[in-house]
Amino acid sequence: MFVVASASGKLTLTAFSYFCSHSFCLGDDMGPLSAGKVEKLSILLAHMPVERVEVLVDLAQEIDPGMARMLEFCRYGADGAASRLFFLPLCDVIGDSTIVEPSKALIPESLLVPLWNWISDLDPEAAKAAMDAASSFTDKPVDEPLDDTRARVAAAMLKALDGLEHEPRESKRLRQQLGVTRFDEVRNIAGMLNSIPALRDALDGLPDEIEEMGDEVCAELRDRYEQAIEEKPESGVWVLLMIMAKVYKPWRMLRVFERIARREDDFLLTHTDMSSIGDALLGDAEFHLKGFQSAPRTPEAVESAVKAVTQFAAVTVGMTREIGIRKDGAWGRRLFELRNAASQQMERIHEESRRLFERALPETGPRRRYKDIPHPGEPAFDEAEAVCAFLYRVKDDAARAAVGNAHALLLEEFKDATEKLGEGILARLRRNVSDDEEADLVRLREVTRILDILGMRSVGEVLLRRAAAAQAA
């Protein structure tokens, strides 16, 4: 029996189902709910914590998808449910481009609500059709009947945007209404909506994540692409981008180049639909570049920055490995710019890291001091630990960011300085010349923490064993 916590205690999903069916008189076909019943269930869900509603919907999805759809309808309201169903075929590329790669957020999540409001004004019949479809709680959402409606809406969107070209005031008003600076994204969405039948066929049967991109897979993707453009030529770019959203290592989509364009460099391919793939990948690289603009000072910031460097390296190196990129081509020039920017950012991080390191281990700096030394738990020490962790964890990817040699030298500098500091403390202990033996032992343990973070755990362990032996002697 599935159990979820309600606002007032525990509630089994079976009991919840019984409650809904009796309180709201739901039949086996889970047909449309009356406005009153929707309101009651919406109030019930509104009084439950969001995370518990999430659990309830997930559990319902496993044993009663129709009820799950009913819960989502009441949770999001008629407009919200209609919008979700209307854009359902494009859900793989709906996201927040501030937290996920732009290639996986072709449709900004924040744009959906104002866009749906505009669509409802443009074509009230389309909004009503989507609401009616969303209020039918079948096991699986049936959205195909909306394809003609989507095509009609797409045409209306483009016509409206074209009509604004010589209407600056109205254009400004709509940009403000939608929360956009340009209409490019809106036009792209219209293009995707108009291509949904071809997209559905092209994506049918593909796994949620395409891990391997061998010859057979690439050939199949080529066939799917060619079938889509036969059906609807303008769908090609969206087919490629939506397939790439499923590829585990997206830059491997470039392997399809040879099969589509019969070339192995980007000299002519940038003038085809495939150019959209390269542009999207470069957009992703730029997104990751923003993730390591300064030295991380907390464990959370370290994780984020390490991921950004790793992904930046993977995308930029992956692109050059998968296909010969001409240095004087559009992609080649942009790759050079991105790598140059990465190099400059890492140089600034190196400078900042050196300052933070010497602040935490002032005994190692050019102006050595032995008083007011930071300890773990104090910001200066914790920040030094963070930058050391970052530098060590991205050492293999630093070369790909065009700063490999400088990065390696800085790491060696930190390692040498830390090890020498540990040896100096040990020497005092062994010669019995320590002013405060206990303080030196504490400091030695702190130094070995840094050694551990820098990948020198064994060196730190040896120092501690030798210190213990010196004490016992």
Side-chain angles (χ1 to χ4, degrees):
M1 179 180 289
F2 295 106
V3 180
V4 294
S6 71
S8 57
K10 290 185 177 179
L11 180 67
T12 67
L13 188 58
T14 303
F16 189 86
S17 176
Y18 178 87
F19 168 76
C20 288
S21 62
H22 283 71
S23 298
F24 304 118
C25 301
L26 302 176
D28 293 336
D29 62 347
M30 298 291 283
L33 290 172
S34 69
K37 292 173 183 176
V38 169
E39 184 180 3
K40 288 181 181 178
L41 189 51
S42 298
I43 291 172
L44 174 64
L45 295 175
H47 281 78
M48 295 173 65
V50 173
E51 63 274 10
R52 292 178 183 172
V53 176
E54 293 277 1
V55 171
L56 189 63
V57 172
D58 289 344
L59 293 177
Q61 193 65 51
E62 293 179 23
I63 64 172
D64 192 343
M67 175 167 285
R69 293 197 63 216
M70 177 196 70
L71 293 174
E72 288 194 334
F73 181 87
C74 294
R75 175 187 182 187
Y76 294 107
D79 266 335
S83 172
R84 287 167 66 86
L85 184 63
F86 190 78
F87 293 108
L88 180 65
L90 308 176
C91 63
D92 286 345
V93 289
I94 296 174
D96 182 350
S97 60
T98 64
I99 58 176
V100 298
E101 296 92 330
S103 66
K104 290 182 171 60
L106 299 176
I107 302 177
E109 209 165 16
S110 59
L111 181 54
L112 286 184
V113 171
L115 182 62
W116 180 249
N117 291 336
W118 182 51
I119 288 173
S120 299
D121 292 336
L122 274 180
D123 193 334
E125 289 185 11
K128 184 179 184 305
M131 287 184 191
D132 289 344
S135 65
S136 179
F137 310 123
T138 52
D139 284 354
K140 292 183 179 180
V142 181
D143 74 284
E144 286 188 43
L146 294 174
D147 285 352
D148 289 342
T149 301
R150 293 183 178 109
R152 189 177 76 231
V153 166
M157 290 168 63
L158 294 174
K159 182 179 179 181
L161 294 178
D162 289 343
L164 294 177
E165 287 186 4
H166 304 293
E167 298 288 343
R169 287 188 179 178
E170 282 301 305
S171 177
K172 180 180 180 181
R173 184 196 63 76
L174 183 58
R175 287 199 305 272
Q176 290 176 338
Q177 178 184 337
L178 298 178
V180 298
T181 55
R182 297 181 303 173
F183 291 123
D184 293 357
E185 289 173 334
V186 182
R187 288 184 178 276
N188 289 343
I189 293 171
M192 283 184 264
L193 288 173
N194 193 45
S195 301
I196 281 177
L199 285 170
R200 187 183 289 110
D201 291 341
L203 299 172
D204 184 43
L206 288 179
D208 291 339
E209 185 171 80
I210 303 172
E211 295 186 7
E212 299 298 329
M213 288 289 285
D215 290 342
E216 288 186 12
V217 173
C218 289
E220 181 186 347
L221 297 182
R222 174 205 60 199
D223 293 344
R224 287 172 180 262
Y225 165 78
E226 291 179 350
Q227 180 183 341
I229 59 175
E230 239 180 81
E231 180 181 340
K232 187 178 281 290
E234 60 269 31
S235 71
V237 60
W238 309 119
V239 167
L240 294 173
L241 288 168
M242 289 199 68
I243 288 176
M244 189 172 76
K246 293 176 174 288
V247 177
Y248 173 60
K249 295 181 177 179
W251 53 91
R252 288 184 174 170
M253 270 296 289
L254 297 175
R255 295 182 182 184
V256 185
F257 269 30
E258 182 183 2
R259 291 161 180 80
I260 291 180
R262 308 292 187 258
R263 282 188 66 111
E264 293 184 353
D265 62 63
D266 67 332
F267 183 65
L268 291 178
L269 292 173
T270 50
H271 301 292
T272 72
D273 281 346
M274 287 304 294
S275 67
S276 61
I277 294 297
D279 292 341
L281 288 170
L282 289 167
D284 287 352
E286 190 171 359
F287 166 81
H288 295 307
L289 183 65
K290 296 175 183 176
F292 58 101
Q293 293 181 318
S294 59
R297 300 186 178 213
T298 66
E300 295 77 19
V302 169
E303 293 302 321
S304 177
V306 167
K307 181 180 178 181
V309 173
T310 301
Q311 290 302 308
F312 176 82
V315 172
T316 53
V317 173
M319 287 186 72
T320 55
R321 282 182 179 172
E322 294 298 339
I323 188 169
I325 302 247
R326 291 166 52 94
K327 291 182 179 179
D328 59 344
W331 295 354
R333 289 194 298 272
R334 194 167 169 203
L335 268 175
F336 175 79
E337 291 170 359
L338 289 170
R339 284 176 170 165
N340 187 52
S343 176
Q344 292 176 0
Q345 287 183 187
M346 289 298 286
E347 287 174 4
R348 289 195 295 271
I349 289 175
H350 288 167
E351 293 172 4
E352 189 178 358
S353 296
R354 183 177 280 107
R355 288 196 299 271
L356 293 174
F357 179 84
E358 291 175 354
R359 203 171 78 184
L361 278 72
E363 309 100 311
T364 67
R367 298 178 180 178
R368 297 178 183 177
R369 60 181 176 83
Y370 300 90
K371 293 182 179 180
D372 302 321
I373 293 174
H375 301 287
E378 297 177 21
F381 194 94
D382 293 349
E383 288 171 358
E385 282 190 315
V387 295
C388 286
F390 169 75
L391 294 174
Y392 180 74
R393 289 176 60 184
V394 301
K395 66 184 188 304
D396 295 332
D397 291 310
R400 304 178 190 183
V403 288
N405 189 48
H407 195 92
L409 289 174
L410 183 65
L411 265 179
E412 285 305 311
E413 178 186 325
F414 284 5
K415 289 177 180 180
D416 290 346
T418 309
E419 187 175 2
K420 285 179 183 177
L421 175 57
E423 291 283 1
I425 296 171
L426 176 63
R428 289 202 301 272
L429 291 170
R430 294 179 71 180
R431 295 198 308 266
N432 293 318
V433 295
S434 174
D435 294 333
D436 188 334
E437 185 174 303
E438 188 58 37
D440 273 345
L441 285 169
V442 169
R443 188 57 174 168
L444 185 60
R445 285 192 288 271
E446 293 172 356
V447 168
T448 60
R449 282 178 58 147
I450 301 293
L451 286 171
D452 187 10
I453 290 170
L454 291 170
M456 301 178 70
R457 172 175 292 184
S458 60
V459 173
E461 289 175 346
V462 169
L463 284 173
L464 290 175
R465 285 199 298 271
R466 290 168 68 191
Q471 266 195 307

